[in-house]
Amino acid sequence: MLKKFSLIFGIALCLWVLNSCGPKAARVPGETDQFGCQEPPPSVFTAAGIDAEFAQSKFGKIVTGDINLKTNPEVISLASKAVTDSRISSYLRCLAIHRDGYTKEQAAYLEEMTSFMRTGPTAEEFIKWKSENPFPGTKAETGDATKQDELEQARAAIQQLQQEVQAAQSRLEQLQTSEWRAIAQSNNWLPRQECDSAWKSNEGEGRDAAGRRVRVRINTLTQEYRWVFARSDVVEAYAPPIDPRVHVKELDISNARFGIVCVGTASSEGERGEEESRAKGRAERLQIIFREEFNNVPALYSLSLGQFQHKQKSFNPQATRDERRVIVIEILDRDQEVNLKEAIKDALLKVIEKVRQEGAIPFWDFRDYTAFDLYGA
């Protein structure tokens, strides 16, 4: 029994390292299911005018064509409502990939259909679109009855192991952060200096309309740190707010030979003009920190993305916190006279597409915001 618990304990710690290092807030009960998908709160489904059961079962049948749309035209309207909320659409993508086993081609088809559904098509328009764009292929053939039985047994074993790991992980999450790190390092499960960074980085290259190139590293503050609602000076992670310079100072910008772009975002609450001004203020706050903490920064820019534009029927600062990401872009290389605004936008698009092709959910998408205003130092 002790040996089995040690095995589960080790697996859980490995999963924790892979997911994202460092302290995490305790999950809200029912938020993450057995497939690792974060289910939005009931209020999100209510605000969208649907229920969780529809999202978890019927939506997938609409995608694969396993529901008669002529006799059930009302589901088209419900599906359109579901995908207008980024939290629900992200949850649907997660279920498709991790529960239903979508291939990369099928996942790409889901993205294409989701974009079409956001246009609010009628049942007739959607049926026509489906006839012209059928669901690609079928899930892998299971073979004869023996192979089917083996497959079902494997699925049951995996499900049981997932439940055991989740139970162990829940227990381990009750430990203090220092205990997590001490236990993992004492057993050589992770390096001594592991988990020091709160940033997730993605590199990409983009070009302007004339083909001139820029190469960037996009740093996004993780571990659930977001700008505090209605504030431009502090961030939080389900904990007392802190000055973002605590984490900005940790960035290694030695390769940012051509400058730093400080990005500002604002969530969907409030009036557009006020929130766009707040997004710009957050970018400027990051600029001030870089001027005070780093010497000889080649150039400092601010990029205001404005307000998150997919408004909800009702607002909850905790529900919209992902719309207030903390972002810093390093300019690693650039051609002379490159149009930075065009090239950076192109680089972001390519990074987002790469993340999606890998079957993951993009960290954030600038197209969800109202602006893309780049200011010089």
Side-chain angles (χ1 to χ4, degrees):
M1 182 64 185
L2 180 60
K3 183 177 180 181
K4 181 177 180 181
F5 179 79
S6 299
L7 175 61
I8 294 174
F9 188 90
I11 294 173
L13 280 170
C14 290
L15 289 177
W16 168 73
V17 171
L18 292 174
N19 285 336
S20 68
C21 295
K24 284 191 175 183
R27 295 190 182 96
V28 175
E31 183 180 347
T32 302
D33 61 21
Q34 67 190 67
F35 306 103
C37 299
Q38 294 185 341
E39 180 179 344
S43 59
V44 173
F45 293 102
T46 301
I50 64 172
D51 57 35
E53 191 277 335
F54 174 86
Q56 294 165 344
S57 60
K58 290 186 180 178
F59 187 87
K61 294 180 180 179
I62 296 174
V63 178
T64 58
D66 293 330
I67 189 171
N68 191 329
L69 300 176
K70 292 183 179 180
T71 58
N72 298 275
E74 71 279 357
V75 299
I76 303 304
S77 175
L78 294 174
S80 295
K81 292 178 180 179
V83 298
T84 55
D85 189 293
S86 59
R87 291 162 292 180
I88 298 178
S89 58
S90 295
Y91 178 55
L92 293 173
R93 285 194 298 270
C94 182
L95 288 178
I97 294 170
H98 299 291
R99 182 192 67 183
D100 301 328
Y102 276 26
T103 63
K104 288 185 177 180
E105 183 182 12
Q106 291 167 344
Y109 175 87
L110 174 60
E111 289 288 335
E112 183 180 359
M113 196 199 86
T114 298
S115 297
F116 178 72
M117 291 303 299
R118 286 185 178 135
T119 66
T122 63
E124 291 74 19
E125 291 172 339
F126 183 78
I127 291 172
K128 180 181 178 183
W129 186 90
K130 281 289 287 182
S131 65
E132 296 172 352
N133 302 274
F135 185 70
T138 58
K139 300 199 176 111
E141 294 294 331
T142 56
D144 57 26
T146 300
K147 291 182 179 180
Q148 178 67 37
D149 290 342
E150 292 175 351
L151 181 60
E152 292 300 327
Q153 291 174 5
R155 285 174 177 167
I158 291 173
Q159 185 175 357
Q160 181 179 356
L161 179 59
Q162 286 175 332
Q163 292 173 347
E164 292 178 353
V165 169
Q166 285 182 343
Q169 196 171 23
S170 296
R171 169 67 186 91
L172 293 173
E173 284 177 348
Q174 298 174 12
L175 297 173
Q176 295 294 329
T177 302
S178 59
E179 293 177 306
W180 270 95
R181 190 171 297 171
I183 292 172
Q185 292 177 344
S186 66
N187 286 278
N188 295 318
W189 290 330
L190 51 85
R192 295 287 172 179
Q193 300 303 318
E194 190 67 59
C195 303
D196 289 339
S197 177
W199 297 87
K200 177 178 176 59
S201 300
N202 294 272
E203 290 192 18
E205 182 175 296
R207 295 181 182 273
D208 64 13
R212 293 180 287 257
R213 180 183 61 92
V214 69
R215 186 163 62 87
V216 299
R217 178 183 295 120
I218 306 154
N219 302 294
T220 306
L221 194 55
T222 59
Q223 297 186 12
E224 304 300 327
Y225 287 103
R226 307 291 186 266
W227 288 108
V228 174
F229 175 67
R231 299 280 297 273
S232 299
D233 58 337
V234 286
V235 296
E236 65 179 351
Y238 297 110
I242 61 171
D243 191 321
R245 79 172 59 237
V246 173
H247 297 296
V248 171
K249 290 192 300 184
E250 296 177 350
L251 277 173
D252 177 6
I253 61 170
S254 58
N255 292 320
R257 299 187 298 116
F258 294 88
I260 297 290
V261 181
C262 300
V263 183
T265 59
S267 52
S268 52
E269 300 93 335
E271 296 298 324
R272 175 169 173 172
E274 180 182 356
E275 295 307 315
E276 288 184 342
S277 176
R278 197 187 315 280
K280 185 177 179 183
R282 286 168 174 165
E284 292 172 348
R285 174 59 183 162
L286 292 175
Q287 276 189 314
I288 291 173
I289 293 173
F290 273 97
R291 289 195 186 100
E292 294 176 348
E293 298 294 340
F294 294 91
N295 296 322
N296 303 319
V297 177
L300 274 173
Y301 304 87
S302 67
L303 173 60
S304 175
L305 297 183
Q307 182 183 30
F308 192 84
Q309 59 185 330
H310 305 303
K311 289 185 174 289
Q312 308 300 320
K313 293 180 180 179
S314 60
F315 294 108
N316 178 342
Q318 289 301 319
T320 60
R321 64 195 312 274
D322 275 350
E323 301 166 9
R324 302 187 294 275
R325 303 302 292 264
V326 183
I327 306 157
V328 173
I329 300 175
E330 300 172 66
I331 303 176
L332 307 178
D333 195 11
R334 58 174 290 183
D335 291 340
Q336 289 186 353
E337 300 183 0
V338 64
N339 185 315
L340 273 180
K341 179 176 179 179
E342 292 180 358
I344 290 175
K345 184 180 289 189
D346 184 54
L348 290 173
L349 284 171
K350 289 176 179 175
V351 169
I352 291 169
E353 181 59 27
K354 178 184 176 182
V355 171
R356 282 183 173 154
Q357 288 178 353
E358 292 172 350
I361 298 172
F363 40 94
W364 51 272
D365 192 331
F366 69 87
R367 292 169 296 184
D368 289 329
Y369 294 83
T370 58
F372 197 94
D373 299 326
L374 182 67
Y375 301 92

